[in-house]
């Protein structure tokens, strides 16, 4: 019934035109042949029956085609392919396809198939290009680790107290972190299959990140206040520590004097809240809502010149998969506080 109503709605202009024609035919004819009015009405009724039969036949065809079209649409939604693809030849040119069409509807159908085939081919080329780029960057990030490891061994042979050596080790550490960020960015698409959730001691995870950044703490002369805690969390060690490292990196980068404080406390619902506070330059109010956007660097990033706007974006994506809530409060010129809401042993997410 729904399709019949749609058919009548589409043909309403033809029906209206027929009724207007009959009206004028009967009206004008009756003015000159009053005695033949019944015959005129009979002729009008006869043509109405003929039109109704023809309309009904076309309506049946319309309904069948509509049902088939809806079935093909559902099939496309489920599979991403158009049904009957292998039965259609597209070896000829688009002009030949249109000229060979038996009707306007067939021409429309073939045009849609040509567009679909063209888009499919372009999508295939794009996917191949993306796969090549992904493979290249994966290979590059793994290969670049070899000279980085060699340089770290060379630095161990020189005087560790030398100031220049210490600064070079710091820059090498930054290179290593950028490489790790690229590798994480490439792996982000398959993070769901890589997660291994388990119960961890929060303090040990925090110490891993802090130890890795000890060189930067020493070089900038920043204080670290790490409050002890025995709280447990449910997370993935590798991905969670990576996010902690990114948060620490930002705090160290934008803190000139003072230091960083890390503390934790229990929260409602069996969760654990972890706070990372710094005494840095802070974030402008207009930049704060956008700091987790991909590629957004903000005012501070433009001052730093080396900011990529990728670190916090990766953190937000990873936290979403880990079921971790994140909030940031900041006052320009006073510092920034990042608060994480992490599932505890009684509230396991994912």
């Amino acid at each position: 019934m729904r399709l019949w109503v749609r058919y009548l709605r589409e043909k309403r202009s033809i029906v209206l035109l027929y009724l207007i024609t009959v009206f004028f035919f009967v009206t004008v004819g009756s003015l000159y042949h009053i005695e033949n009015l019944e015959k005129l009405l009979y002729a009008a009724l006869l043509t109405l029956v003929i039109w109704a039969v023809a309309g009904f036949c076309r309506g049946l065809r319309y309904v069948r085609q509509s049902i088939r079209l809806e079935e093909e649409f559902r099939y496309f939604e489920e599979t991403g392919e158009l049904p009957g693809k292998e039965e259609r030849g597209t070896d000829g040119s688009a002009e030949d396809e249109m000229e060979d069409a038996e009707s306007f509807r067939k021409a429309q159908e073939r045009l849609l198939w040509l567009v679909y085939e063209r888009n499919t081919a372009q999508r295939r080329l794009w996917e191949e290009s993306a796969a090549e780029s992904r493979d290249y960057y994966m290979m590059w990030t793994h290969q670049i680790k070899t000279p980085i490891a060699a340089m770290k061994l060379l630095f161990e042979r020189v005087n560790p107290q030398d100031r220049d050596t210490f600064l070079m080790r710091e820059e090498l550490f930054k290179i290593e972190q950028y490489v790790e960020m690229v590798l994480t960015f490439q792996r982000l698409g398959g993070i769901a299959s890589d997660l291994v959730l388990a119960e961890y001691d929060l303090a040990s995870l925090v110490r891993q990140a802090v130890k890795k950044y000890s060189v930067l703490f020493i070089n900038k002369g920043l204080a670290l206040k790490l409050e002890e805690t025995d709280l447990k969390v449910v997370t993935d060690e590798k991905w969670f520590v990576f996010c902690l490292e990114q948060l620490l990196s930002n705090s160290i980068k934008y803190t000139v004097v003072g230091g960083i404080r890390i503390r934790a406390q229990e929260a409602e619902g069996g969760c654990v809240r972890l706070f990372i506070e710094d005494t840095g330059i802070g974030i402008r109010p207009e930049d704060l809502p956008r700091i987790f956007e991909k590629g957004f660097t903000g005012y501070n990033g433009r001052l730093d010149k080396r900011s990529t706007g990728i670190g916090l974006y990766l953190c937000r994506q990873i936290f979403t998969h880990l079921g971790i809530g994140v909030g940031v409060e900041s006052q320009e010129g006073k510092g920034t506080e990042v608060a994480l809401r992490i599932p505890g042993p009684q509230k396991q997410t994912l």
Side-chain angles (χ1 to χ4, degrees):
M1 180 59 67
R2 173 179 56 86
L3 296 177
W4 278 103
V5 172
R6 190 172 70 183
Y7 171 72
L8 293 175
R9 188 185 302 117
E10 290 184 6
K11 303 300 182 181
R12 63 181 180 273
S13 59
I14 297 177
V15 174
L16 181 60
L17 179 62
Y18 169 77
L19 294 176
I20 293 175
T21 303
V22 171
F23 171 77
F24 280 112
F25 176 72
V26 173
T27 302
V28 175
S30 63
L31 291 177
Y32 292 93
H33 304 283
I34 303 297
E35 67 279 3
N36 296 325
L37 182 59
E38 293 182 359
K39 296 179 180 180
L40 293 175
L41 293 175
Y42 176 76
L45 180 61
L46 184 61
T47 55
L48 176 62
V49 172
I50 296 175
W51 275 68
V53 172
F56 179 77
C57 293
R58 292 184 63 86
L60 284 177
R61 185 180 179 186
Y62 174 88
V63 170
R64 293 193 189 101
Q65 290 177 345
S66 298
I67 293 175
R68 179 183 174 186
L69 181 62
E70 291 181 353
E71 290 176 350
E72 291 181 352
F73 180 74
R74 284 192 293 268
Y75 180 85
F76 178 77
E77 280 191 323
E78 294 174 357
T79 65
E81 299 286 342
L82 291 178
K85 178 181 177 182
E86 66 281 354
E87 300 176 1
R88 300 174 183 266
T90 56
D91 296 333
S93 65
E95 183 178 356
D96 293 337
E97 290 286 332
M98 295 301 103
E99 290 180 355
D100 293 339
E102 300 174 357
S103 65
F104 179 73
R105 185 184 61 81
K106 288 289 186 180
Q108 285 183 315
E109 184 178 349
R110 294 194 179 188
L111 177 60
L112 290 176
W113 272 99
L114 289 171
V115 172
Y116 171 77
E117 292 291 338
R118 185 72 56 83
N119 290 341
T120 300
Q122 291 179 349
R123 184 174 67 250
R124 189 180 301 113
L125 290 175
W126 180 85
E127 290 175 351
E128 292 176 356
S129 177
E132 290 178 0
S133 298
R134 183 169 56 252
D135 293 341
Y136 170 77
Y137 284 114
M138 290 289 288
M139 178 190 66
W140 181 87
T141 50
H142 284 291
Q143 289 183 342
I144 199 66
K145 288 184 177 182
T146 300
I148 290 176
M151 293 179 67
K152 291 174 70 174
L153 291 175
L154 292 174
F155 279 128
E156 292 179 358
R157 299 181 182 180
V158 299
N159 182 11
Q161 303 300 323
D162 182 69
R163 178 64 177 174
D164 291 339
T165 300
F166 193 85
L167 292 176
M168 286 189 290
R169 289 181 61 186
E170 179 182 344
E171 294 303 317
L172 180 61
F173 174 78
K174 293 178 181 179
I175 294 174
E176 189 176 11
Q177 292 306 109
Y178 285 131
V179 171
E180 186 66 27
M181 186 182 299
V182 172
L183 187 60
T184 302
F185 186 82
Q186 294 295 321
R187 291 173 174 171
L188 190 61
I191 182 176
S193 60
D194 188 53
L195 292 178
V196 180
L197 299 181
E199 183 177 321
Y200 293 96
D201 179 55
L202 180 60
S204 65
L205 299 179
V206 173
R207 282 194 292 268
Q208 286 186 48
V210 169
K211 182 179 179 181
K212 191 170 184 178
Y213 280 82
S214 59
V215 174
L216 300 185
F217 274 102
I218 295 173
N219 185 45
K220 297 194 71 171
L222 299 177
L224 172 65
K225 185 176 182 181
L226 181 58
E227 298 184 2
E228 291 296 328
T229 179
D230 58 354
L231 296 174
K232 306 289 185 180
V233 295
V234 175
T235 188
D236 180 281
E237 180 181 15
K238 179 183 70 174
W239 292 100
F240 181 72
V241 172
F242 171 82
C243 292
L244 286 183
E245 292 172 357
Q246 294 302 311
L247 297 176
L248 277 177
S249 175
N250 278 0
S251 293
I252 296 172
K253 182 189 302 184
Y254 297 113
T255 301
V256 180
V257 294
I260 297 173
R261 178 191 179 194
I262 303 176
R263 58 187 178 87
Q265 66 182 35
E266 292 188 37
E268 65 280 1
C271 294
V272 175
R273 291 181 64 84
L274 179 67
F275 300 90
I276 302 175
E277 308 169 16
D278 64 56
T279 57
I281 61 177
I283 304 172
R284 287 191 169 188
E286 61 269 23
D287 290 343
L288 195 58
R290 301 184 58 192
I291 59 175
F292 291 104
E293 293 182 9
K294 183 179 179 181
F296 181 76
T297 58
Y299 177 78
N300 295 340
R302 287 188 288 274
L303 288 178
D304 183 65
K305 304 296 184 184
R306 295 172 296 178
S307 180
T308 61
I310 296 297
L312 289 181
Y313 165 77
L314 292 176
C315 289
R316 167 58 65 85
Q317 301 302 312
I318 295 171
F319 284 151
T320 299
H321 283 86
L322 294 176
I324 298 176
V326 55
V328 179
E329 295 182 0
S330 183
Q331 288 186 336
E332 193 173 2
K334 294 185 177 181
T336 302
E337 177 186 84
V338 179
L340 304 180
R341 182 182 176 87
I342 312 167
Q346 288 80 32
K347 185 178 176 56
Q348 299 187 19
T349 304
L350 295 180

